[in-house]
Structure formats: structure tokens, C-alpha cells
Amino acid sequence: MNRKHLVLPAVAGLLTPVLAACGGSDSGSKSGDAIVVGTTDRFTATKDAPAPLDPAYAYDVGSWNILRQTVQTLMIQPKGEGDPVPEAAESCGFTDSGNERYACKLRDGLKFANGDAITAEDVKYSIERALRIKADSGVFALMSDIDTIETQGDREVIFHLKTADATFPYKLSTPVAGIVNPADYDKGKLRDGFDVDGSGPYTLQTDVKNDEIVTATFAKNPNYKGSLQVSNDKVVMRSFADADAMGAAIEKGDIDVMIRTMTPSQIKKLDAGTDENVELVDMQGLEIRYLAFNTNAPTVKNKAVREAMAQVVDRGELVSKVYGSQAEPLYSLVPATLTGHSNSFFNKYGNPSVTKAKALLTQAGITTPVKLTLHYTTDHYGAATKQEFEVLQKQLNDSGLFNVRIQGTPWATFQSASRKGAYDVWGMGWFPDFPDADNYLAPFLDKDNFLGSPYANNKIRNTLIPESRREADRLTASKSLTDIQDIVADDVPVLPLWQGKQYVAARNDVTGASYALNSSSTLQLWELSRGSDS
């Protein structure tokens, strides 16, 4: 087995406020042999979440990865790194000096997969629909800076923003800004089930059993017109119950590519070269894991309890025991590889110390041991999640300051329960909507935050976030971003734990695996093809 290390340029996060144009081609492999991709992501429709693939609702990495293949956005994140580039748009850019007016011109001749023409009014309809529905997933908040949307003719769309937002081009690259056909998507309600109709590089057909996708078939869209080169005619995605079953399938050749989520032991085994027919690709990732707190819950309402947990948790031991070289300790919500990162939690708490944690609790008059339940999802972030929470439980209990139990719940129930405030402390992962420090702060701390957190800091919301968004040069925004991270370390509404790498495994006759995921964990099926590896 050969191992590939994909090294991408450092993320600078610079957004240049000028109009940019980008063309595209539409070549594709004629092999006719579908590439089969395995994943442990589960796609389930439930009573609480009946519309998992509606762009106005979907807000998890798995659902977004389906939408990114099928629903086109004005902008798109590039193959490697860098600023977003036009996709459904021919050109986009800020047209004022204050980053408050953003104009896009659509490509000529855009069509939905069914042949219907796409106009500027469809773009306006799609984004206003998400803002109108205001789904409880919180995804609409990505578009909440929009004041009004104006159209000029069939091809021009102008966004008037409430405040300056240099990150807006990135936001237009996310699925919530996806263009949908008004004939298929009601303006006032979500579209239940798993049907997706758009103008992206693929159309979608699903095999559904018991309200869950078993296989998703992506067929090349003959009406697609955008910036992407589609290198295959068909990709089939199979959802597996666990990583072991997925691993067995790639060994037998039943699947060609294996994406998220592999276990640490699987990655170690593949890295050792045990299967000469399968290649492992590792690359920089921007995934983070953290604990979230319901700061109104009696068990953790007192800040001293949250501070004491931050003082006790040993990230180095956690990563070493569970993930090894596949992750690194994280001392901020913002990954260490992004412009604007600050080690705020380490600066405040230093190395783990039971003595310091005890002093915090004693000073606040908290009776120990503090009883807590840490909740985690059993089937969304990988099989190692349970082991991770067992390590956290042991660290906290061994301090003598906490009496912690852990509780695992399937994702379909977990995500809606956490949003409704059912948990006091729960574990989450974050795959960025776009690679900018703002996207690791505002979604957790701004109003309408996706966690449904009651935590609110007026300085963060009213001063620091707006300040940082005014700066097109993200280096210049670092002061405001650092101040936000320092406040988070002081108040601990969330507790960052680690930052992970990402991996793709592919059989040797599949090319393009190095670009099957970008650093934001965006799935790029159009990069895959069959042929000898070069």
C-alpha cells in the first residue's frame, strides 16, 4: 500500500473585494462503471427532522455533502485552498468600499436538472425561503446579515447587507444558499423526505428503507453548467452501520472509496500497509470536537463548574489514548491552522491542575463532587467517540471533584434533543461551513446560534463579531477574533478538546482521492475517476 500526504497551502482567509470571473468545463469519464463510496454517515427522516435534505434545514456535514453534489450555489470553495470562486455565478464581488453591497451575475443559460431555466428571481426565492422558514437547525443564521435582495433582469442579483461582512462570499458557497426550483420547494415550509432537485453536477436517486437512506446514486447532470470538471458519470454512496463493516467492504472490493468515519485502529492498520490494493490519503483537516454547555442548567449554571472542568480536562492524554497522531489538542474553538487562532484556554488554565480546579469550586461555594451526565452521539462522529467520553469521565471522576456518568444516543435523536435543551453537557463536532475563524465563533456565540445556547455576551455580539467582519484582510481582524476567544475561555460556554486530521481510503484503480475532501470536509465526488494512478 502507498500512503499519500496531501499538503495544502496555509489558509490565509483573505477576501478581496473585487469582481472575479471564472469559467468552467464539463468533461467526464466514460468508463460507465459507477464508483462506490462508503460512509458511516446516516441519513434519517424522523418526526422531529422530517426534511433532512432541504437546504433550508440541513446543517450537518453528511447532509451538506449530499447537497453540495446536487444543489448549486453562486460561489464555491476551491479544490484546494483559498477564497471562494464563482460557480453558478459568472462573477461576484463587493461593489462598495464598506463590504455591504455584494453583486453577482449568473452564468448565461443556467438550467435546473429538469431543464427549467434559472433566473435571478430563483436565487432570491431560494435564500429568502430559508430566512422565512427559519428552521430550528439554525442554518438560516448564515444568511441573517442580508437586509434585502434585489434582482436586475434575469441574471443579476444584488445583496444589501445589514452590516459589513467580508465573509459573505464564503456564506454564499454553503448549501443554505443553494438555488432551488420554486416548483419543487414551497416558500413557506420544508420539503420532507429525501428528494433533492437542483442544478449541481449530479442528480440524486435514493434507496430508502425505514426512513433511512441505504444508497444514494449520483448521476452526472447533463444540464450542469458551472466551474467544476466532472470526472465520472456516476457515483454510488453506501451508508454502513459501522466502520468495521465499511472496512470489510473496501477490502473485498465491494466499495472503491472509504470516507468518514474510519476508526483510529483502521487508519493505523491501513497506514501500516496491510492491504496493497488500498491507498490511504491523509490531509490537513479543520474538524474540531468540543463540549457544549446549557449555561442555564442548574448543574453547570455557575461558571466555576465549567471553569473547573476546563482546568481538569487533559487534552494531551485524551488525544494520546484515543486518537494518537490523528488529532491534536485544541485550546480554542478556532483551529490552530487558521488565521486568527489564539491558544486562549491554555493561556488561562495552563496545564491540567486538580488543585486549581478545587480552588475555583471552593471559592464559588460549590459542593463536591459535582454530579453531571456527559451526553454523546453513538453513530455520527465515529466509533471512537464512546472511548473519548470514557477517558473524559475518568479524568473528571479521578479528580474527586466530579461524579460523572456518560450517556450515548443515536444522532437522529441526539441532535434534536440537544437543540431543545434536553442536555446539560454534551459532546459535539464542528466541520466548518467555510475556512475562516469567524465560522468557529459566530455560529456558537451570535444570536440564533445553532446550538440553541442561552449564553449571550453583548460585547461579542454587538462589537467584536461586527468588527472582525468589517476586515477583508483577516490578519487585520485577528485582534477582534482573539478578544472573542479570550472571553470564551473566561466564560466557558463551550470547552474545545481537539482538532483532527481527515482521511480517505481508496482502491488503487481510483484516482482523485486526494481531492475527494477539501480541508472543510466538503465531499467532492466530481474529482473521482477510474484509471491508473499517476
mmCIF file of all heavy atoms in Angstrom, residues 245-273:
data_model
loop_
_atom_site.group_PDB
_atom_site.id
_atom_site.type_symbol
_atom_site.label_atom_id
_atom_site.label_comp_id
_atom_site.label_asym_id
_atom_site.label_seq_id
_atom_site.Cartn_x
_atom_site.Cartn_y
_atom_site.Cartn_z
ATOM 1 N N ALA A 245 -17.805 -2.705 9.191
ATOM 2 C CA ALA A 245 -18.490 -3.206 8.001
ATOM 3 C C ALA A 245 -18.008 -2.469 6.756
ATOM 4 O O ALA A 245 -17.815 -3.071 5.688
ATOM 5 C CB ALA A 245 -20.003 -3.049 8.164
ATOM 6 N N MET A 246 -17.789 -1.172 6.886
ATOM 7 C CA MET A 246 -17.291 -0.387 5.764
ATOM 8 C C MET A 246 -15.875 -0.839 5.379
ATOM 9 O O MET A 246 -15.548 -0.975 4.192
ATOM 10 C CB MET A 246 -17.312 1.098 6.124
ATOM 11 C CG MET A 246 -16.829 2.021 5.026
ATOM 12 S SD MET A 246 -17.099 3.783 5.381
ATOM 13 C CE MET A 246 -16.002 4.031 6.803
ATOM 14 N N GLY A 247 -15.032 -1.083 6.382
ATOM 15 C CA GLY A 247 -13.672 -1.531 6.117
ATOM 16 C C GLY A 247 -13.633 -2.887 5.431
ATOM 17 O O GLY A 247 -12.819 -3.112 4.527
ATOM 18 N N ALA A 248 -14.503 -3.790 5.857
ATOM 19 C CA ALA A 248 -14.564 -5.103 5.223
ATOM 20 C C ALA A 248 -14.981 -4.990 3.755
ATOM 21 O O ALA A 248 -14.492 -5.722 2.893
ATOM 22 C CB ALA A 248 -15.542 -6.007 5.977
ATOM 23 N N ALA A 249 -15.857 -4.029 3.466
ATOM 24 C CA ALA A 249 -16.348 -3.849 2.096
ATOM 25 C C ALA A 249 -15.248 -3.358 1.162
ATOM 26 O O ALA A 249 -15.156 -3.802 0.011
ATOM 27 C CB ALA A 249 -17.525 -2.871 2.087
ATOM 28 N N ILE A 250 -14.386 -2.467 1.645
ATOM 29 C CA ILE A 250 -13.317 -1.984 0.751
ATOM 30 C C ILE A 250 -12.248 -3.053 0.569
ATOM 31 O O ILE A 250 -11.644 -3.170 -0.498
ATOM 32 C CB ILE A 250 -12.706 -0.656 1.262
ATOM 33 C CG1 ILE A 250 -11.989 0.053 0.107
ATOM 34 C CG2 ILE A 250 -11.765 -0.869 2.438
ATOM 35 C CD1 ILE A 250 -11.581 1.482 0.398
ATOM 36 N N GLU A 251 -12.023 -3.869 1.588
ATOM 37 C CA GLU A 251 -11.064 -4.966 1.449
ATOM 38 C C GLU A 251 -11.515 -5.960 0.393
ATOM 39 O O GLU A 251 -10.707 -6.482 -0.390
ATOM 40 C CB GLU A 251 -10.887 -5.676 2.796
ATOM 41 C CG GLU A 251 -10.100 -4.877 3.825
ATOM 42 C CD GLU A 251 -9.966 -5.622 5.136
ATOM 43 O OE1 GLU A 251 -10.398 -6.803 5.200
ATOM 44 O OE2 GLU A 251 -9.449 -5.031 6.099
ATOM 45 N N LYS A 252 -12.816 -6.227 0.327
ATOM 46 C CA LYS A 252 -13.358 -7.188 -0.641
ATOM 47 C C LYS A 252 -13.559 -6.565 -2.017
ATOM 48 O O LYS A 252 -13.836 -7.290 -2.980
ATOM 49 C CB LYS A 252 -14.686 -7.747 -0.133
ATOM 50 C CG LYS A 252 -14.565 -8.627 1.091
ATOM 51 C CD LYS A 252 -15.875 -9.333 1.422
ATOM 52 C CE LYS A 252 -16.943 -8.347 1.835
ATOM 53 N NZ LYS A 252 -18.214 -9.043 2.219
ATOM 54 N N GLY A 253 -13.444 -5.246 -2.106
ATOM 55 C CA GLY A 253 -13.677 -4.587 -3.385
ATOM 56 C C GLY A 253 -15.136 -4.269 -3.634
ATOM 57 O O GLY A 253 -15.512 -3.903 -4.751
ATOM 58 N N ASP A 254 -15.978 -4.394 -2.609
ATOM 59 C CA ASP A 254 -17.400 -4.059 -2.769
ATOM 60 C C ASP A 254 -17.611 -2.552 -2.857
ATOM 61 O O ASP A 254 -18.613 -2.094 -3.397
ATOM 62 C CB ASP A 254 -18.219 -4.625 -1.604
ATOM 63 C CG ASP A 254 -18.280 -6.139 -1.619
ATOM 64 O OD1 ASP A 254 -18.027 -6.724 -2.690
ATOM 65 O OD2 ASP A 254 -18.583 -6.740 -0.565
ATOM 66 N N ILE A 255 -16.705 -1.803 -2.276
ATOM 67 C CA ILE A 255 -16.706 -0.355 -2.439
ATOM 68 C C ILE A 255 -15.315 0.069 -2.899
ATOM 69 O O ILE A 255 -14.336 -0.672 -2.719
ATOM 70 C CB ILE A 255 -17.101 0.395 -1.148
ATOM 71 C CG1 ILE A 255 -16.092 0.144 -0.032
ATOM 72 C CG2 ILE A 255 -18.509 0.026 -0.712
ATOM 73 C CD1 ILE A 255 -16.351 0.972 1.223
ATOM 74 N N ASP A 256 -15.236 1.233 -3.507
ATOM 75 C CA ASP A 256 -13.968 1.711 -4.065
ATOM 76 C C ASP A 256 -13.281 2.737 -3.180
ATOM 77 O O ASP A 256 -12.058 2.867 -3.210
ATOM 78 C CB ASP A 256 -14.212 2.337 -5.441
ATOM 79 C CG ASP A 256 -14.854 1.375 -6.414
ATOM 80 O OD1 ASP A 256 -14.225 0.354 -6.711
ATOM 81 O OD2 ASP A 256 -15.987 1.641 -6.860
ATOM 82 N N VAL A 257 -14.068 3.487 -2.434
ATOM 83 C CA VAL A 257 -13.551 4.589 -1.628
ATOM 84 C C VAL A 257 -14.209 4.560 -0.263
ATOM 85 O O VAL A 257 -15.390 4.234 -0.138
ATOM 86 C CB VAL A 257 -13.827 5.959 -2.306
ATOM 87 C CG1 VAL A 257 -13.287 7.108 -1.458
ATOM 88 C CG2 VAL A 257 -13.231 6.008 -3.707
ATOM 89 N N MET A 258 -13.443 4.891 0.751
ATOM 90 C CA MET A 258 -13.963 4.929 2.122
ATOM 91 C C MET A 258 -13.670 6.320 2.682
ATOM 92 O O MET A 258 -12.525 6.776 2.712
ATOM 93 C CB MET A 258 -13.275 3.835 2.952
ATOM 94 C CG MET A 258 -13.804 3.651 4.341
ATOM 95 S SD MET A 258 -13.313 2.027 5.051
ATOM 96 C CE MET A 258 -11.515 2.167 5.061
ATOM 97 N N ILE A 259 -14.738 7.011 3.111
ATOM 98 C CA ILE A 259 -14.556 8.343 3.682
ATOM 99 C C ILE A 259 -14.914 8.296 5.161
ATOM 100 O O ILE A 259 -14.636 7.317 5.835
ATOM 101 C CB ILE A 259 -15.361 9.401 2.894
ATOM 102 C CG1 ILE A 259 -16.838 9.000 2.743
ATOM 103 C CG2 ILE A 259 -14.751 9.618 1.525
ATOM 104 C CD1 ILE A 259 -17.707 10.087 2.152
ATOM 105 N N ARG A 260 -15.519 9.326 5.657
ATOM 106 C CA ARG A 260 -15.791 9.389 7.081
ATOM 107 C C ARG A 260 -16.896 8.409 7.485
ATOM 108 O O ARG A 260 -17.832 8.213 6.741
ATOM 109 C CB ARG A 260 -16.153 10.810 7.503
ATOM 110 C CG ARG A 260 -17.350 11.425 6.785
ATOM 111 C CD ARG A 260 -17.582 12.841 7.236
ATOM 112 N NE ARG A 260 -17.582 12.986 8.662
ATOM 113 C CZ ARG A 260 -18.675 12.849 9.409
ATOM 114 N NH1 ARG A 260 -19.827 12.528 8.847
ATOM 115 N NH2 ARG A 260 -18.601 13.025 10.708
ATOM 116 N N THR A 261 -16.740 7.716 8.643
ATOM 117 C CA THR A 261 -15.646 7.948 9.559
ATOM 118 C C THR A 261 -14.947 6.615 9.829
ATOM 119 O O THR A 261 -15.588 5.650 10.221
ATOM 120 C CB THR A 261 -16.148 8.535 10.891
ATOM 121 O OG1 THR A 261 -16.868 9.737 10.653
ATOM 122 C CG2 THR A 261 -15.002 8.814 11.839
ATOM 123 N N MET A 262 -13.649 6.573 9.612
ATOM 124 C CA MET A 262 -12.852 5.399 9.941
ATOM 125 C C MET A 262 -12.429 5.468 11.401
ATOM 126 O O MET A 262 -12.285 6.547 11.970
ATOM 127 C CB MET A 262 -11.617 5.333 9.040
ATOM 128 C CG MET A 262 -11.924 5.044 7.589
ATOM 129 S SD MET A 262 -10.421 5.089 6.552
ATOM 130 C CE MET A 262 -10.537 6.749 5.872
ATOM 131 N N THR A 263 -12.206 4.314 11.995
ATOM 132 C CA THR A 263 -11.738 4.292 13.378
ATOM 133 C C THR A 263 -10.230 4.522 13.420
ATOM 134 O O THR A 263 -9.522 4.274 12.439
ATOM 135 C CB THR A 263 -12.052 2.947 14.043
ATOM 136 O OG1 THR A 263 -11.303 1.916 13.372
ATOM 137 C CG2 THR A 263 -13.535 2.615 13.976
ATOM 138 N N PRO A 264 -9.714 4.977 14.565
ATOM 139 C CA PRO A 264 -8.260 5.130 14.685
ATOM 140 C C PRO A 264 -7.499 3.843 14.382
ATOM 141 O O PRO A 264 -6.436 3.880 13.764
ATOM 142 C CB PRO A 264 -8.092 5.568 16.143
ATOM 143 C CG PRO A 264 -9.354 6.297 16.471
ATOM 144 C CD PRO A 264 -10.425 5.524 15.744
ATOM 145 N N SER A 265 -8.051 2.702 14.801
ATOM 146 C CA SER A 265 -7.366 1.431 14.550
ATOM 147 C C SER A 265 -7.361 1.091 13.063
ATOM 148 O O SER A 265 -6.372 0.543 12.540
ATOM 149 C CB SER A 265 -8.020 0.302 15.348
ATOM 150 O OG SER A 265 -9.380 0.147 14.993
ATOM 151 N N GLN A 266 -8.432 1.393 12.353
ATOM 152 C CA GLN A 266 -8.456 1.169 10.909
ATOM 153 C C GLN A 266 -7.404 2.009 10.199
ATOM 154 O O GLN A 266 -6.691 1.524 9.311
ATOM 155 C CB GLN A 266 -9.841 1.514 10.346
ATOM 156 C CG GLN A 266 -10.885 0.437 10.502
ATOM 157 C CD GLN A 266 -12.211 0.861 9.901
ATOM 158 O OE1 GLN A 266 -12.606 2.011 10.026
ATOM 159 N NE2 GLN A 266 -12.889 -0.066 9.251
ATOM 160 N N ILE A 267 -7.327 3.273 10.587
ATOM 161 C CA ILE A 267 -6.357 4.176 9.963
ATOM 162 C C ILE A 267 -4.933 3.680 10.222
ATOM 163 O O ILE A 267 -4.089 3.663 9.326
ATOM 164 C CB ILE A 267 -6.553 5.608 10.491
ATOM 165 C CG1 ILE A 267 -7.898 6.150 10.012
ATOM 166 C CG2 ILE A 267 -5.408 6.515 10.039
ATOM 167 C CD1 ILE A 267 -8.324 7.431 10.683
ATOM 168 N N LYS A 268 -4.686 3.241 11.447
ATOM 169 C CA LYS A 268 -3.363 2.727 11.800
ATOM 170 C C LYS A 268 -3.034 1.477 10.980
ATOM 171 O O LYS A 268 -1.910 1.306 10.493
ATOM 172 C CB LYS A 268 -3.313 2.424 13.292
ATOM 173 C CG LYS A 268 -1.941 2.030 13.807
ATOM 174 C CD LYS A 268 -1.962 1.852 15.316
ATOM 175 C CE LYS A 268 -0.578 1.475 15.836
ATOM 176 N NZ LYS A 268 -0.589 1.306 17.321
ATOM 177 N N LYS A 269 -4.021 0.621 10.812
ATOM 178 C CA LYS A 269 -3.824 -0.607 10.050
ATOM 179 C C LYS A 269 -3.537 -0.304 8.576
ATOM 180 O O LYS A 269 -2.607 -0.874 7.978
ATOM 181 C CB LYS A 269 -5.072 -1.489 10.169
ATOM 182 C CG LYS A 269 -5.003 -2.811 9.415
ATOM 183 C CD LYS A 269 -6.296 -3.588 9.593
ATOM 184 C CE LYS A 269 -6.283 -4.881 8.780
ATOM 185 N NZ LYS A 269 -7.565 -5.621 8.919
ATOM 186 N N LEU A 270 -4.304 0.607 7.994
ATOM 187 C CA LEU A 270 -4.083 0.972 6.602
ATOM 188 C C LEU A 270 -2.734 1.655 6.420
ATOM 189 O O LEU A 270 -2.031 1.439 5.430
ATOM 190 C CB LEU A 270 -5.204 1.887 6.112
ATOM 191 C CG LEU A 270 -6.560 1.225 5.849
ATOM 192 C CD1 LEU A 270 -7.628 2.278 5.626
ATOM 193 C CD2 LEU A 270 -6.474 0.291 4.640
ATOM 194 N N ASP A 271 -2.363 2.454 7.389
ATOM 195 C CA ASP A 271 -1.093 3.159 7.331
ATOM 196 C C ASP A 271 0.086 2.184 7.374
ATOM 197 O O ASP A 271 1.158 2.455 6.820
ATOM 198 C CB ASP A 271 -1.012 4.149 8.497
ATOM 199 C CG ASP A 271 0.156 5.107 8.378
ATOM 200 O OD1 ASP A 271 0.600 5.361 7.244
ATOM 201 O OD2 ASP A 271 0.630 5.604 9.412
ATOM 202 N N ALA A 272 -0.128 1.047 8.014
ATOM 203 C CA ALA A 272 0.939 0.048 8.125
ATOM 204 C C ALA A 272 1.135 -0.740 6.829
ATOM 205 O O ALA A 272 2.069 -1.549 6.722
ATOM 206 C CB ALA A 272 0.634 -0.903 9.277
ATOM 207 N N GLY A 273 0.239 -0.535 5.840
ATOM 208 C CA GLY A 273 0.412 -1.188 4.548
ATOM 209 C C GLY A 273 -0.070 -2.616 4.515
ATOM 210 O O GLY A 273 0.475 -3.437 3.778
#
